[in-house]
Amino acid sequence: MAEPLRPEEEDIALAAELALGLLEGDELAAARRRQLADPAFAAAVDRWVLDFAPLALGGVDAPVSAGLWQRIEARLPGEDQATVVALRRWRATAIATSAAAAVLLAILLLRPVPQPVVLPPPPVVVAQITGTGGAAFAARYDADAGMLHVRTEAMPTSRRAPELWVIPAGGKPVSLGLVAAQGNRDMAVTPAHRALLAEGATLAVTMEDAATAPHAGPSGPPVAAGKITIL
Amino acid sequence: MASPTPSAGDGARARLVHALGEVAGGDRKALKTVYDLTAAKLMGVCLRICQDREAAEDVMQEVYLKVWDRAGRFDASRASPITWLCTIARNTAIDWRRARGLGETAPVEAALDLPDGRPSAEALLEAGETRARIFDCLEALEEKPRGAIRAAFFHGRTYPELAAAAAVPLGTMKSWIRRGLLQLRGCLGDG
């Protein structure tokens, strides 16, 4: 280089390098860490993304195969949109979300992928909890108040009651108490349990004897489960 | 430029914004509308980066699934809908390249060979794009940094790939680009 860049110039250039995808390996990892840790730097990266973005309008179009839409459509969440739409409304934010795909007990959740073109929403812990038997719950955690808001969207008919568990990654289920057979329930989360409501933990629902809840452990398999995601 | 992207002025932009709003509410038909309005444009973005039609179409599937998930986060005050979608496509295609291992798919000698794809003022207006200053600012750069920055943007190439494609040392390529980026920032302004 003719002359070294000044520190503020280094930052400007680094933000652009990250926005353009010029970096590899350790340099890329370091820049991404900086982006997470330094809001001013992250804003500079966003700014570059927005500044460069219109260039794409100058690119040449390319035809797509006739069957591409069908392949996309086949991968959209199930046709039963009513539950998904209800879940979205209930989340009561303007944030569009991943729709749940009810596959066994593993559930898709919002991925906190950095989206450079929008401002990050305030962190909200959510989970969609669904199962193969048509059970569907949605959970939203208000960390400030220590309140977990759980809405029962659908549940199999049962004389037993739905009990909610949090399962830390690699850990044992811990009961958070009974949730409503239908509708909403706001549950105070004890301070000891709050730290369990973290990204990657699983929320699960089992059907239990209401009279003896909360239980030390579930008595049967979950009717629904989903991973926690932090928005 | 013959383009199936929105081309009926404010009407097309408004249709796209409206459709994204409906996608956010879970409307599949609206996603098809977004697809019909934008697929050729986004395929161009993906194909330039992936350099392989089949791979680009795989990436396209991911792109529209992301649009399905994220449509509610589109903020019309920050970006035009088509550039927002192009950014999602570009990032997804770049992620795909990185996941595959860089350089595997690309004829790197083609990396610097790009059409001069400046859209007309009319096309920018029609897309609702107000941030068009980048075109003038890029134009003001010297040829080498301009070409390298355009290749980085359109082909998703990294420093080492660009250096190899231009047959210059890595440090030379970095120097060209970094000086060009600083000049761009001066031209674009800080606001």
Side-chain angles (χ1 to χ4, degrees):
Chain A
M1 279 192 196
E3 56 194 89
L5 301 185
R6 299 193 305 272
E8 65 271 24
E9 291 179 328
E10 283 284 348
D11 282 0
I12 290 168
L14 184 65
E17 288 168 341
L18 194 54
L20 280 176
L22 285 161
L23 305 174
E24 292 182 11
D26 292 345
E27 282 183 322
L28 175 61
R32 282 187 175 156
R33 279 197 299 276
R34 173 101 186 264
Q35 189 183 20
L36 288 173
D38 178 349
F41 179 72
V45 176
D46 278 359
R47 178 85 204 289
W48 275 113
V49 169
L50 288 169
D51 280 333
F52 279 124
L55 287 178
L57 298 179
V60 179
D61 292 357
V64 293
S65 301
L68 181 58
W69 168 252
Q70 282 71 24
R71 283 190 274 155
I72 293 166
E73 195 175 30
R75 291 179 59 190
L76 290 174
E79 288 282 5
D80 178 16
Q81 288 295 296
T83 302
V84 172
V85 171
L87 289 169
R88 287 178 172 194
R89 290 206 190 102
W90 177 74
R91 246 182 239 120
T93 70
I95 304 161
T97 63
S98 302
V103 286
L104 287 177
L105 301 172
I107 290 320
L108 121 88
L109 289 163
L110 301 177
R111 284 166 295 176
V113 175
Q115 169 47 262
V117 186
V118 296
L119 290 170
V124 180
V125 179
V126 298
Q128 289 177 337
I129 312 163
T130 58
T132 49
F137 305 81
R140 182 168 55 88
Y141 178 57
D142 178 349
D144 289 339
M147 293 295 291
L148 186 64
H149 308 280
V150 181
R151 179 181 178 89
T152 303
E153 295 287 346
M155 208 185 66
T157 309
S158 171
R159 275 177 297 177
R160 292 181 296 163
E163 185 163 353
L164 182 67
W165 307 84
V166 57
I167 310 166
K172 288 182 180 171
V174 175
S175 178
L176 296 171
L178 297 179
V179 297
Q182 57 181 13
N184 298 298
R185 179 158 299 172
D186 298 336
M187 310 164 74
V189 181
T190 65
H193 290 164
R194 288 177 191 178
L196 300 177
L197 296 173
E199 179 106 31
T202 299
L203 290 178
V205 174
T206 60
M207 303 308 293
E208 305 290 348
D209 180 358
T212 55
H215 297 94
S219 65
V223 295
K227 277 199 189 310
I228 288 176
T229 283
I230 297 174
L231 286 184
Chain B
M1 187 174 64
S3 166
T5 46
S7 57
D10 275 355
R13 173 192 153 88
R15 270 169 71 205
L16 196 47
V17 171
H18 180 72
L20 284 171
E22 294 189 325
V23 171
D27 184 339
R28 289 166 165 241
K29 287 200 193 87
L31 187 67
K32 176 66 159 60
T33 301
V34 172
Y35 176 87
D36 288 340
L37 288 168
T38 60
K41 173 63 67 189
L42 302 197
M43 184 64 181
V45 171
C46 294
L47 191 56
R48 277 189 291 278
I49 292 170
C50 298
Q51 297 282 319
D52 175 274
R53 170 160 290 279
E54 197 176 327
E57 294 204 339
D58 287 347
V59 170
M60 285 283 280
Q61 295 182 43
E62 302 301 325
V63 169
Y64 284 95
L65 291 170
K66 285 184 183 177
V67 173
W68 175 254
D69 285 347
R70 299 181 187 175
R73 290 191 246 167
F74 168 66
D75 179 353
S77 70
R78 296 201 78 208
S80 81
I82 187 64
T83 54
W84 183 74
L85 293 164
C86 285
T87 300
I88 291 176
R90 180 172 184 274
N91 290 340
T92 307
I94 287 176
D95 287 348
W96 176 87
R97 282 197 81 231
R98 289 183 182 280
R100 293 276 323 263
L102 296 170
E104 260 182 46
T105 56
V108 280
E109 65 274 13
L112 300 178
D113 178 24
L114 276 168
D116 174 22
R118 181 177 179 134
S120 67
E122 193 186 18
L124 287 168
L125 193 67
E126 285 171 356
E129 187 49 69
T130 53
R131 289 175 169 265
R133 200 164 160 70
I134 185 70
F135 295 99
D136 290 330
C137 292
L138 256 187
E139 208 61 37
L141 299 187
E142 284 174 34
E143 187 184 340
K144 282 171 180 168
R146 181 174 69 238
I149 289 170
R150 283 175 56 82
F153 181 84
F154 282 106
H155 290 301
R157 295 298 185 264
T158 62
Y159 272 136
E161 292 174 316
L162 291 168
V168 298
L170 182 58
T172 303
M173 180 54 73
K174 283 193 177 185
S175 179
W176 285 353
I177 289 188
R178 301 194 111 204
R179 296 286 162 189
L181 291 170
L182 291 174
Q183 193 181 330
L184 273 186
R185 178 43 77 214
C187 174
L188 290 163
D190 295 325

